[in-house]
Amino acid sequence: MALGDYLSRKAVKLTRRVEVYRLDAFITEPPEVHTVRKSVEVHALKPELSANVRKVDISRNLKCTVETIDLLKEPAEAKGFQVKKYTKQDIRIHGMPKRRKINIWKATKKAQSLPIELQNKLKQQKNRPAVSRNEMILAWYWPIVDGAVIKLALNKQRGTLLVWYDPRSRKYKARGVYLIRRLGAGEKPEWRWV
Amino acid sequence: MASHNNSLGYMVIEGGEGQLRGIALVTDARGVPADFRYTDLIRPKKLERILYGNSFDTYVKEELILESLLESMETDPQLWICSDKDILTPLRNASRTKTVLLGESTHAPLDAEGSIENTTEPRVFLIQTEANGAPLRAEFAEGARTDEVQQTASLLTENAKTMTLLEPFSRIQRLISALATGSD
């Protein structure tokens, strides 16, 4: 027991008086409570109109009166509604649409079946092989991984070489090939690998 | 010597007048296809036209085609090569791989194979990938580092020993034509 408590009890017993302590509330000022009910202020549109008559022609027996014109005699009715508590289900958020799903097609086999088309690079080739007098170099195709070649075909219209490779081959050493024409009747062009 | 690990990816987005198609080809160091994918022709939906307006092409290229194609690829190349400047930086950002816009040049051959030369254009270099002939024009994406340029030049020069670097672009066009007509 704390010394303070002990002395306090002794004091009660001796004096028959009870000490009363004031406990201040944690919140010194009461919180402001706002109702969610909407209050509507209604202002009637009642302009005071007056007319001053400065000159009246009595001879014509005119009766002049000044009247107040009420543009809006009765104030418009307004109803207040208490704001109800919304649950999450009541709220719908319409965001941006998700990324459109697009079709993607795979055609690797088809791509592998198409040949690689090599251009004639003879103009760029500086170090040409020596050929005999009755030979003429027509074309130079490079690079060709000859160890992986399945088929070669010359596209005579375009002057290109079509190369089909075996996709399963692991050969990567490339060479070049010259197309050499032999002059003379009945002579066939020759492929010469370098 | 080039190896099968030196794979190159070719990304093409073709089309126009509000319809686009994406094509991705990954080849080995010889140019042999390892993965080839393409999308349908994409036309804008009414809501997309309203939402994106003039930026529809950008939305289709970057968000629809590039991201969808890259997600679908089974083979990650060492380098992505494109021929469209619009997709150069988005391709690099989406693939997180080295990316280059590659094309021909009319420049005189540089000193030696593998040489790199600056140009007056920012992030554009000339790379002598083959011993003979004109160097290639290589444009790099925004944020490309110097070592990225060096590595790309080395990879291209190495692969140029076993394949023609720009040839896959024409093959892609032949492939799409063949697929469109259904010919074998």
Side-chain angles (χ1 to χ4, degrees):
Chain A
M1 187 184 293
L3 180 62
D5 289 343
Y6 174 76
L7 292 173
S8 179
R9 286 189 178 196
K10 281 291 179 189
V12 170
K13 282 183 180 176
L14 292 172
T15 61
R16 308 299 295 173
R17 288 181 183 175
V18 179
E19 288 182 67
V20 179
Y21 295 96
R22 180 184 161 198
L23 287 173
D24 289 329
F26 290 109
I27 303 169
T28 53
E29 291 180 6
E32 287 183 21
V33 179
H34 297 278
T35 175
V36 292
R37 186 182 292 276
K38 287 182 179 176
S39 61
V40 180
E41 289 185 17
V42 180
H43 297 275
L45 186 61
K46 290 174 72 176
E48 297 286 334
L49 296 179
S50 61
N52 293 325
V53 179
R54 292 191 175 186
K55 189 177 179 182
V56 178
D57 188 353
I58 304 295
S59 64
R60 292 188 181 179
N61 294 323
L62 287 173
K63 186 183 177 184
C64 292
T65 57
V66 177
E67 292 184 0
T68 302
I69 302 165
D70 287 344
L71 293 178
L72 195 62
K73 286 186 177 178
E74 297 295 327
E77 288 185 9
K79 289 180 181 177
F81 294 94
Q82 189 173 4
V83 178
K84 73 169 189 177
K85 187 181 177 184
Y86 283 100
T87 60
K88 284 184 179 176
Q89 285 75 20
D90 293 327
I91 302 168
R92 290 179 186 174
I93 299 170
H94 297 275
M96 295 285 282
K98 287 182 180 176
R99 192 177 80 191
R100 195 207 305 184
K101 194 175 180 185
I102 56 173
N103 289 329
I104 295 176
W105 307 98
K106 183 179 180 180
T108 309
K109 288 264 170 71
K110 176 81 179 174
Q112 288 173 344
S113 70
L114 218 65
I116 294 168
E117 190 169 24
L118 297 181
Q119 302 289 330
N120 179 4
K121 292 185 177 178
L122 187 64
K123 282 185 182 175
Q124 302 166 15
Q125 177 66 340
K126 295 171 187 171
N127 305 317
R128 298 181 186 184
V131 289
S132 60
R133 287 183 61 189
N134 63 339
E135 289 179 335
M136 186 170 72
I137 300 173
L138 295 176
W140 158 247
Y141 300 104
W142 181 89
I144 303 167
V145 181
D146 57 325
V149 168
I150 296 174
K151 183 181 169 185
L152 290 172
L154 183 68
N155 184 335
K156 290 179 181 173
Q157 287 181 329
R158 293 166 55 89
T160 57
L161 185 67
L162 304 175
V163 184
W164 284 264
Y165 283 127
D166 177 5
R168 294 164 298 180
S169 167
R170 289 288 171 263
K171 301 281 174 60
Y172 284 88
K173 190 175 181 183
R175 291 202 293 168
V177 65
Y178 287 98
L179 178 61
I180 296 172
R181 181 186 171 191
R182 286 180 180 162
L183 304 174
E187 292 287 349
K188 289 184 178 178
E190 180 193 341
W191 294 101
R192 197 170 293 173
W193 290 88
V194 179
Chain B
M1 185 195 295
S3 75
H4 62 282
N5 291 326
N6 289 351
S7 57
L8 299 178
Y10 292 82
M11 185 68 76
V12 173
I13 294 179
E14 61 155 31
E17 296 178 2
Q19 51 181 20
L20 296 163
R21 183 205 303 275
I23 307 141
L25 170 68
V26 176
T27 74
D28 66 10
R30 299 167 298 192
V32 176
D35 202 351
F36 175 72
R37 283 157 206 264
Y38 63 100
T39 70
D40 286 331
L41 272 174
I42 298 165
R43 298 174 181 87
K45 288 181 179 176
K46 191 179 176 185
L47 180 61
E48 290 169 334
R49 201 190 296 273
I50 294 165
L51 279 172
Y52 298 103
N54 292 335
S55 60
F56 176 74
D57 276 11
T58 308
Y59 158 70
V60 170
K61 284 180 180 178
E62 294 180 15
E63 289 193 33
L64 280 185
I65 293 177
L66 280 185
E67 290 185 15
S68 302
L69 270 176
L70 288 169
E71 282 170 13
S72 74
M73 298 303 285
E74 288 173 357
T75 312
D76 292 324
Q78 300 257 318
L79 171 73
W80 277 106
I81 301 171
C82 65
S83 57
D84 181 356
K85 192 173 181 175
D86 288 349
I87 64 168
L88 179 60
T89 301
L91 178 59
R92 182 176 182 266
N93 294 339
S95 67
R96 297 181 180 185
T97 306
K98 291 189 284 291
T99 308
V100 68
L101 170 68
L102 211 58
E104 290 176 340
S105 83
T106 53
H107 199 277
L110 304 182
D111 294 340
E113 234 176 293
S115 297
I116 307 171
E117 192 172 293
N118 288 316
T119 68
T120 53
E121 296 174 271
R123 302 187 309 279
V124 177
F125 300 86
L126 295 169
I127 302 173
Q128 188 69 42
T129 55
E130 295 180 16
N132 303 318
L136 293 179
R137 180 188 182 277
E139 182 168 350
F140 289 82
E142 288 174 26
R145 302 176 309 273
T146 311
D147 62 326
E148 199 172 316
V149 175
Q150 292 283 351
Q151 288 166 9
T152 301
S154 299
L155 183 64
L156 291 173
T157 307
E158 191 63 30
N159 276 35
K161 291 172 184 168
T162 46
M163 68 180 286
T164 307
L165 294 171
L166 295 176
E167 184 274 337
F169 284 122
S170 61
R171 196 157 18 122
I172 283 171
Q173 294 306 321
R174 283 190 287 139
L175 262 168
I176 288 299
S177 300
L179 288 164
T181 56
S183 63
D184 292 327

